[in-house]
Amino acid sequence: MTSVPSLASNVQQRLATALSAALPEAGSADPLLRRSDRADFQANGILALAKRLKGNPRELAGQVVAALDTESDGLLHEVEVSGPGFLNITVSDAAIVDTLAARAADDRLGVPYAADPGTTVIDWAQPNVAKEMHVGHLRSAVIGAAMAKIMEFTGEKVISRHHIGDWGTQFGMLIQYLEEHPHELDHGRDGETSGEEAMSNLDRLYKAARAVFDSDEEFKTRARDRVVALQAGDPATLALWQRFVDESKIYFHSVFDKLDMEIADEDIVGESGYNDMLAETCRLLEESGVAVRSEGALCVFFDDIKGPDGEPTPLIVRKSNGGYGYAATDLSAIRNRVGELDARTLLYVVDVRQSMHFKMVFETARRAGWLNDEVKAVQLAFGTVLGADGKPFKTREGKTVKLVDLLDEAVDRATAVVGEKAGKVGLSPEEIAENGRYVGIGAIKYADLSTSAVRDYKFDLDQMVSLNGDTSVYLQYAYARIRSILRKAGDARPVPHPELSLHPAERALALHVDQFGEVVAEVAETYEPHKLAAYLYQLASHLTTFYDKCQVLSADNPPELVENRLFLVDLTGRTLRLGMSLLGIRTPERL
């Protein structure tokens, strides 16, 4: 693995050295380098520096230019002072091609690992046992899977935790019904059960149990007794409870399989996984004075968190009846993740509507000493999926949309789009079906990931599978087109030629390709996957402009120009493919 510094970082380093040489009194001032439409880069840090040093910014800029090393390695082509003291910087064509050649020689495209990686436990994809997953479960899964991939790519040790709802009073009713109807979750003779069958079994049992619970007082009493037995750890009751968990896992895995995600069984640690810690968590909080008793409940109070009536809103860790709330479970999970898993970062991909709860949980954990300057917790909060009417997405009957139905419809729509163009590239029916799946699921993921997580977004399948605009299909077709060009190239191979001059469209594409590693590092640090989606869309847009302005396989082009353009196209394709894979989206070779 070869880490390749970006052109921007090399220019930044060169400017910082010149600043220190020309203006020693400036200390280690930041040149404030950024991309520019006037040149390749613009540095405007000298303006603030001149103010601090009480000097003329244009004169100071001139001194910095004079101190610049422009000869040693051919990095800089031109540096000029502009306006009140900006520096406009153009790098050489040879430096661009040489840098990209170094990237192309590395499987990771020269993207470095993070300087100080640690362990992150990421809490994402949190379905409930014995309940069907709906559209509300989509964003945590899509955003969480992408962030896990991106952080792992930068060298972070990532441990996934799927905090499923697998505990609570509702299980008393289900367990008691299964006790009295023991064959309700039996599988067929071959033991194989599809996700659809598993959910159907659970749904049927739930409805039957609910009907008896609502009409039979004696059953209701037995069900409530069963909750007590479950919480007391009665082996027979736990065995029945485990059957619901196992059946639900069959269903969960089938849904995540449709989403093209891998969920490992050992990462599924539900509410039940922290049961044995709850009493101790409460004891530690009370003994340390972090939690106090109030009206029989164990509570944590905050000066800055008040309810609508202006009164302080406490975090209730243990209820007045002795039962534990979500807070006790979440605080126990923090203790487990920090103490047992050695996490330095806890990342929660959870609905923005739970922000107040997590703010109180994190502050409580800080007061207890479980979080500190070395160990942080962050909520990656996400907004709501909306329908075309701008309201939370529902069926026409006003019901919650089943996640499986949504995924199937996306795949159907995408398969139709792929099928329309299949004749031109000679796709077989099997390839059409496979690509339809990749395009449909990719469309849903990209629509989610291209929106800032905290914002709501409209679920519009027609737009998502459109070939035009900011969609995954546009990016997938850009990649497939690259692969087509490389197949048509015949004997011509992608070879870099630093001696050639670059067309402006080639420069724009090449400079954007070179930014990939910096974007990935920023996304891993700020937990903003939409910035990677935006980068990839801009990459595909630069590619489109490049095709319009620069013919690749023209017979009129000299062989070295064909090779250099093939090289740029090939590296763009590899960057697109890697970037899309980090978002969890496949890139078919032919579309």
Side-chain angles (χ1 to χ4, degrees), residues 169-470:
T169 55
Q170 73 275 20
F171 284 99
M173 175 184 84
L174 296 172
I175 293 168
Q176 187 58 36
Y177 187 84
L178 187 58
E179 164 76 10
E180 296 174 15
H181 303 81
H183 301 296
E184 281 296 304
L185 290 182
D186 287 358
H187 292 173
R189 208 171 294 168
D190 59 2
E192 288 291 315
T193 300
S194 69
E196 200 174 332
E197 287 173 297
M199 193 61 243
S200 176
N201 290 341
L202 290 165
D203 190 48
R204 186 185 66 250
L205 191 150
Y206 181 87
K207 286 174 180 171
R210 170 56 71 181
V212 180
F213 186 86
D214 290 343
S215 62
D216 184 337
E217 285 301 318
E218 289 183 4
F219 177 82
K220 190 178 286 189
T221 302
R222 293 197 299 277
R224 285 174 175 155
D225 290 343
R226 188 63 71 170
V227 175
V228 176
L230 176 65
Q231 292 176 340
D234 170 58
T237 302
L238 282 172
L240 290 166
W241 167 82
Q242 187 65 48
R243 292 189 65 189
F244 285 99
V245 175
D246 292 343
E247 195 77 6
S248 297
K249 281 184 180 179
I250 295 170
Y251 164 68
F252 294 160
H253 283 298
S254 74
V255 177
F256 290 120
D257 192 48
K258 272 183 193 279
L259 274 166
D260 199 13
M261 290 176 189
E262 283 186 27
I263 302 286
D265 261 353
E266 61 267 25
D267 295 338
I268 300 175
V269 183
E271 294 167 11
S272 64
Y274 307 101
N275 278 345
D276 295 346
M277 301 176 69
L278 301 180
E280 188 185 10
T281 295
C282 291
R283 180 181 63 76
L284 292 169
L285 291 173
E286 190 169 14
E287 286 179 0
S288 62
V290 172
V292 294
R293 296 193 186 224
S294 174
E295 298 177 24
L298 188 63
C299 303
V300 183
F301 287 91
F302 310 87
D303 293 336
D304 60 337
I305 300 175
K306 293 183 169 62
D309 56 0
E311 292 297 309
T313 300
L315 182 70
I316 300 172
V317 185
R318 189 176 60 227
K319 301 170 193 173
S320 56
N321 65 1
Y324 299 103
Y326 289 127
T329 305
D330 287 331
L331 288 162
S332 298
I334 289 175
R335 287 178 54 217
N336 170 264
R337 292 166 186 185
V338 174
E340 301 296 321
L341 303 179
D342 294 326
R344 245 177 26 188
T345 303
L346 306 178
L347 183 61
Y348 292 78
V349 187
V350 183
D351 193 313
V352 70
R353 288 170 293 191
Q354 295 186 47
S355 295
M356 182 64 75
H357 169 77
F358 279 101
K359 181 181 179 184
M360 293 194 287
V361 166
F362 296 164
E363 176 56 27
T364 299
R366 268 190 289 274
R367 291 181 189 179
W370 305 328
L371 298 176
N372 50 46
D373 292 343
E374 275 73 51
V375 184
K376 66 176 180 177
V378 180
Q379 183 191 357
L380 201 178
F382 56 82
T384 305
V385 181
L386 306 175
D389 58 1
K391 295 175 182 173
F393 199 27
K394 304 273 187 188
T395 65
R396 286 182 184 171
E397 295 77 36
K399 294 179 181 174
T400 304
V401 180
K402 293 178 182 179
L403 185 51
V404 168
D405 291 348
L406 208 61
L407 301 179
D408 288 344
E409 188 180 352
V411 169
D412 288 345
R413 297 270 191 102
T415 304
V417 170
V418 171
E420 284 171 17
K421 288 183 169 279
K424 292 181 183 175
V425 284
L427 295 181
S428 68
E430 292 76 23
E431 286 175 307
I432 294 171
E434 183 179 80
N435 288 354
R437 199 165 72 251
Y438 293 158
V439 170
I441 298 304
I444 284 181
K445 288 182 178 179
Y446 187 84
D448 192 319
L449 293 166
S450 59
T451 305
S452 172
V454 78
R455 288 176 52 197
D456 300 341
Y457 81 95
K458 286 186 180 177
F459 195 94
D460 181 347
L461 268 180
D462 289 334
Q463 173 56 29
M464 289 178 186
V465 298
S466 169
L467 300 175
N468 303 311
D470 188 3

